[in-house]
Amino acid sequence: MFRKWKFIFLLAMSVFLLTACNESLGESATAGIKAAEEVFHLNDKEPTEEIDGVKLYKPIGLIISEQSDAQNIVFTKSKETFILFINPNEKSDSQLFYNLLIADQNKEIIEQATFTDEGIFGFAAVVKGEDDQVELITSVGGSKMTTLTTKKNIEVNLTEMMEVVRSIK
């Protein structure tokens, strides 16, 4: 009897794990956007790095490229490249990057959301890329961070990207 229940339990767990691992792109995008929104509202990361007068939080695992300057900061993590654009002429409530994204007819937006907090505007978006890749975009005011990644990295990358753009001083 114990063996039978053990077999049923293992079978049920296997089905559950296979189902959980087979999350759709839309579900991954939704989870990533929700995680980015939580980070936006928490705003609890203090700057840990300074590049040409720009102070920002750098998550563990991201490496800043030596070619970076105050307006274009390049990060790498494993085989992924993250690009942070900073427009110092835009205020914290700027919707420039969001408006550019929405106006671009060539981009197929899978999921996006906007956030506001005490006069600060931000957004996160998941855009369909080529092959199995997606483009992730996070922005707060005049700062925007982008990367190309796979479905399995959406939530982690959007979280880290929002931590970076939300921390910029």
Side-chain angles (χ1 to χ4, degrees), residues 30 32-34 36-38 40-41 92-102 109 111-117 120-126 137-141 162 166:
T30 300
I33 297 294
K34 183 175 176 143
E37 180 178 16
E38 289 172 7
F40 178 85
H41 288 294
S92 61
D93 64 349
S94 172
Q95 296 184 18
L96 172 70
F97 292 123
Y98 180 72
N99 292 335
L100 290 172
L101 172 68
I102 298 302
I109 300 171
E111 183 89 22
Q112 62 87 24
T114 61
F115 325 113
T116 56
D117 185 27
I120 297 172
F121 176 81
F123 78 92
V126 178
I137 305 167
T138 59
S139 178
V140 173
M162 186 57 79
R166 189 68 163 111

Side-chain angles (χ1 to χ4, degrees), residues 153-165:
N153 295 329
I154 291 174
E155 188 171 350
V156 169
N157 285 349
L158 279 176
T159 299
E160 290 178 345
M161 292 165 63
M162 186 57 79
E163 287 174 342
V164 173
V165 295

